[in-house]
Amino acid sequence: NIEGAFATSVDRDGNINLPKVGILGVAGLTFKEVKEMLFREFSKYYTGFHMNVSLGSLRTLRVYVVGNAEKPGSYTVPSHSTIINALFEAGGPSKSGSLRGIELKRSGKTIVQFDVYDFLLKGDKTKDVKLMSEDVVFIPPIGPIVAIAGSVNNPAIYEIKEDTTISQLIEMAGGLNAVAFAGRAQIERIVDNNRQIV
């Protein structure tokens, strides 16, 4: 019979090192998944045992949210935080801030450009990367905007990219609702301070 207690830290590569078991990768796993993996690994060497796993304090990161943020500044966030977590901490973009071209800068280089619309409208988090200490989240000024009203599911003001079509805008607005007449759409545009209707 043996009794033991092991304390280990997750290294920069997302691994832990335990006696007898060796090096195990835990990056991206939930706490429950880590417990199950540890039980499996120890089962290779011991039988009829009881095991308790507890989590110590998480390390934190210092990141900066700058540009057109609601509350720009320096923030301390948990080590597993992503761009979205930093945006929530800073209150998101201000009214003059872009949702479509948010940049993550690391050591003076732009690592990724994050479009919040991909997350909000499609649930796509592929570019919502994990943060590292001293990262800078830069929110540029808002780009071109259009308003869509009438028989759509989500009438609102949307920030668009330069090559956005009317059908893409309607899709962003949740599509036409049940009472919409799809045979006619009216576009109002300001050109040289004059209102034009198409």
Side-chain angles (χ1 to χ4, degrees):
N1 289 336
I2 65 164
E3 191 173 313
F6 312 115
T8 183
S9 298
V10 182
D11 65 21
R12 291 179 64 87
D13 298 320
N15 298 322
I16 57 174
N17 192 354
L18 289 169
K20 191 83 171 174
V21 176
I23 296 174
L24 300 172
V26 297
L29 299 180
T30 64
F31 184 59
K32 181 181 177 185
E33 289 169 339
V34 170
K35 286 174 71 174
E36 291 170 351
M37 180 183 67
L38 289 173
F39 192 88
R40 280 196 313 272
E41 293 298 323
F42 276 104
S43 295
K44 296 175 182 176
Y45 304 98
Y46 305 108
T47 58
F49 65 92
H50 296 283
M51 182 180 72
N52 181 49
V53 183
S54 60
L55 187 65
S57 59
L58 296 173
R59 71 184 179 92
T60 57
L61 306 172
R62 171 71 66 183
V63 297
Y64 304 89
V65 183
V66 298
N68 294 268
E70 197 67 49
K71 296 179 289 184
S74 170
Y75 292 91
T76 301
V77 296
S79 58
H80 57 272
S81 297
T82 64
I83 296 173
I84 287 177
N85 299 126
L87 291 175
F88 274 117
E89 288 288 330
S94 65
K95 286 185 179 180
S96 60
S98 174
L99 281 166
R100 314 229 40 194
I102 295 170
E103 298 175 7
L104 174 63
K105 296 178 180 287
R106 186 173 295 156
S107 302
K109 295 179 181 176
T110 300
I111 301 299
V112 71
Q113 274 203 335
F114 181 57
D115 186 342
V116 181
Y117 276 30
D118 288 341
F119 173 59
L120 296 177
L121 301 177
K122 303 174 189 173
D124 181 2
K125 283 190 72 188
T126 51
K127 293 193 175 177
D128 182 29
V129 299
K130 289 183 74 171
L131 299 172
M132 295 180 66
S133 193
E134 299 300 311
D135 276 355
V136 176
V137 177
F138 173 69
I139 303 176
I142 194 168
I145 56 172
V146 297
I148 183 167
S151 299
V152 291
N153 288 310
N154 299 308
I157 296 172
Y158 291 91
E159 182 182 358
I160 60 169
K161 294 183 175 177
E162 294 293 344
D163 54 353
T164 303
T165 63
I166 296 171
S167 59
Q168 288 172 327
L169 176 62
I170 292 172
E171 185 182 342
M172 281 172 24
L176 301 175
N177 63 25
V179 298
F181 172 58
R184 180 176 181 271
Q186 180 171 300
I187 302 170
E188 296 184 16
R189 183 177 292 160
I190 306 297
V191 179
D192 296 331
N193 296 325
N194 291 315
R195 180 164 163 251
Q196 295 183 354
I197 296 179
V198 179

